[in-house]
Amino acid sequence: MLINYHLVRRFLFKLEPERAHSLTLFILRQLARFNQVKRFTAPLKDDPCEVMGICFANRLGGAPGLDKNAQNIDALGQLGFGHLEVGGVTPRPQPGNPKPRLYRLPADEAVINRMGFNNAGVDKAVEYLKCRQYKGVVGINIAKNRDTPLDKSAEDYVYCVKRVYPYVDFMTINISSPNTPGMRDLQNQAYLADLLVTVKDEQQRLADQYKKYVPLVVKISPDLDDTQLAEVAGTLVSQKIDGVIATNTTLSRPPLVSPQSKEAGGLSGKPLGSLSTEIVRKLYGLLPKTIPIIAVGGIMSPEDAIAKRRAGAQLVQIYTGLIYHGPPIISAIMNHPDFIAH
């Protein structure tokens, strides 16, 4: 018998958001020990595909932030995702921004976060990655530490790439979080090409060492204007990046009704949907078909996921949609004929 998520949500929404998140993951880990996570979602139709040379069981993935330290891969994997992107992680542990830093906007089906890359550091994530039983695709989102100067950022990304390379299927260079001061400047031409040259060189060295190629993708902001987006796309092409994730959270504030909407941080959820989809559509026109797009942002229904696919995305990821609609959104998307057929 399936567990009614809406009853569970009624309880979780009475808790402070970070506490609710931690409790949810704890419960999933306990259920996973007895292979009972599947009670949250209906059986899924098969939809295998190949992207970046990787075989995915289906096109739907869990977005980073859901499992910051890679501790919950086996539990989340039982929900039926075709891939999980864990993290983001930084070379050294960091506590993130002061609490409170995570806000639900229920009337808008949105979330604002200014977490600030709170994580236990890449080495702790590697410990969990080594132990995972989940056979699906796992990527990891990596970033620089908050106190690392921009001109030293490449050293942080290279350190993380070295540590995670043997244990993941793809790596995401996060240069678009709005909650680390200055990080989005890495999307500018003054930094981006040099950063990617350095990280790509390390990727090739590691590919030779381990005799396997682990794709490198870049995650971008939804707040880039057309000129900036074209410049970023050109750099991704020239540096032979393997894929792009569009998008991170937004600093913009479309009309919102929730009182928490004035909080600082990145906005995700339903209000981000059309903005993120438009970035995907523009990217699809700027990039060669050899650079696939992974879409994330505002996927709250099967129709939202289908819109991302029609805009040009080969894979999609969800996070805030899980908060509001729970695991049933996974089967609703995956079993929708238009999502599979597109």
Side-chain angles (χ1 to χ4, degrees):
M1 184 178 69
L2 291 180
I3 296 172
N4 187 325
Y5 176 74
H6 290 289
L7 294 177
V8 175
R9 190 184 81 169
R10 192 176 303 170
F11 165 71
L12 291 175
F13 273 35
K14 294 181 184 298
L15 303 177
E16 187 273 330
E18 277 198 68
R19 185 182 176 198
H21 183 79
S22 298
L23 178 61
T24 299
L25 292 175
F26 173 79
I27 292 170
L28 287 176
R29 287 198 302 272
Q30 306 317 304
L31 290 172
R33 294 169 58 193
F34 304 99
N35 198 33
Q36 292 299 303
V37 174
K38 61 187 176 183
R39 292 183 60 194
F40 276 106
T41 186
L44 306 178
K45 294 181 181 177
D46 291 331
D47 182 30
C49 62
E50 183 175 319
V51 180
M52 300 184 294
I54 303 169
C55 294
F56 292 79
N58 61 61
R59 296 182 183 273
L60 182 62
L66 192 59
D67 186 12
K68 284 183 173 290
N69 295 307
Q71 184 180 4
N72 305 283
I73 294 174
D74 294 337
L76 292 170
Q78 288 187 22
L79 290 171
F81 288 117
H83 74 277
L84 294 168
E85 185 179 339
V86 298
V89 298
T90 52
R92 290 172 282 111
Q94 59 183 28
N97 292 320
K99 297 179 181 181
R101 55 195 179 181
L102 182 63
Y103 303 88
R104 301 186 197 97
L105 284 63
D108 301 291
E109 282 195 75
V111 166
I112 290 175
N113 92 81
R114 52 173 181 266
M115 304 298 286
F117 276 108
N118 56 307
N119 74 103
V122 68
D123 292 331
K124 176 59 70 173
V126 166
E127 290 180 19
Y128 289 121
L129 286 166
K130 287 179 178 179
C131 300
R132 68 177 169 107
Q133 301 298 310
Y134 171 65
K135 301 303 182 185
V137 174
V138 174
I140 191 164
N141 186 290
I142 59 179
K144 77 177 194 71
N145 277 109
R146 181 186 182 93
D147 58 357
T148 300
L150 285 181
D151 59 359
K152 301 291 186 182
S153 297
E155 298 174 14
D156 278 15
Y157 288 99
V158 165
Y159 180 85
C160 289
V161 165
K162 284 180 179 178
R163 295 294 292 121
V164 305
Y165 196 93
Y167 310 109
V168 296
D169 300 295
F170 68 90
M171 304 170 293
T172 300
I173 303 299
N174 190 335
I175 53 173
S176 54
S177 169
N179 299 314
T180 298
M183 177 175 282
R184 286 189 167 187
D185 290 342
L186 293 173
Q187 296 174 119
N188 298 340
Q189 284 186 310
Y191 294 105
L192 185 57
D194 288 344
L195 170 64
L196 296 184
V197 164
T198 303
V199 180
K200 285 291 291 185
D201 284 348
E202 185 62 27
Q203 177 199 33
Q204 188 56 60
R205 189 190 70 78
L206 292 165
D208 294 339
Q209 176 181 342
Y210 290 102
K211 308 300 184 212
K212 74 166 186 172
Y213 184 83
V214 178
L216 191 70
V217 304
V218 173
K219 187 167 188 174
I220 66 169
S221 164
D223 300 327
L224 298 170
D225 62 31
D226 288 353
T227 299
Q228 292 171 319
L229 186 62
E231 290 174 349
V232 168
T235 304
L236 299 181
V237 173
S238 66
Q239 300 307 319
K240 297 181 172 58
I241 292 300
D242 300 297
V244 58
I245 297 181
T247 64
N248 216 312
T249 56
T250 181
L251 288 175
S252 68
R253 290 295 184 268
L256 300 168
V257 299
S258 300
Q260 302 93 333
S261 63
K262 295 191 173 26
E263 292 290 343
L267 174 71
S268 63
K270 190 173 183 178
L272 175 59
S274 59
L275 178 60
S276 176
T277 301
E278 187 60 21
I279 292 287
V280 171
R281 183 175 291 107
K282 290 175 179 177
L283 266 182
Y284 187 73
L286 291 167
L287 296 173
K289 303 307 175 278
T290 52
I291 300 182
I293 300 169
I294 303 170
V296 57
I299 297 176
M300 312 297 286
S301 69
E303 290 71 25
D304 295 330
I306 293 163
K308 293 287 195 289
R309 294 277 288 120
R310 287 176 175 163
Q314 291 199 30
L315 303 171
V316 301
Q317 295 179 343
I318 59 172
Y319 182 0
T320 306
L322 275 175
I323 295 173
Y324 283 97
H325 302 289
I329 195 176
I330 298 170
S331 53
I333 292 172
M334 278 304 309
N335 292 337
H336 197 291
D338 289 344
F339 181 76
I340 294 176
H342 184 79

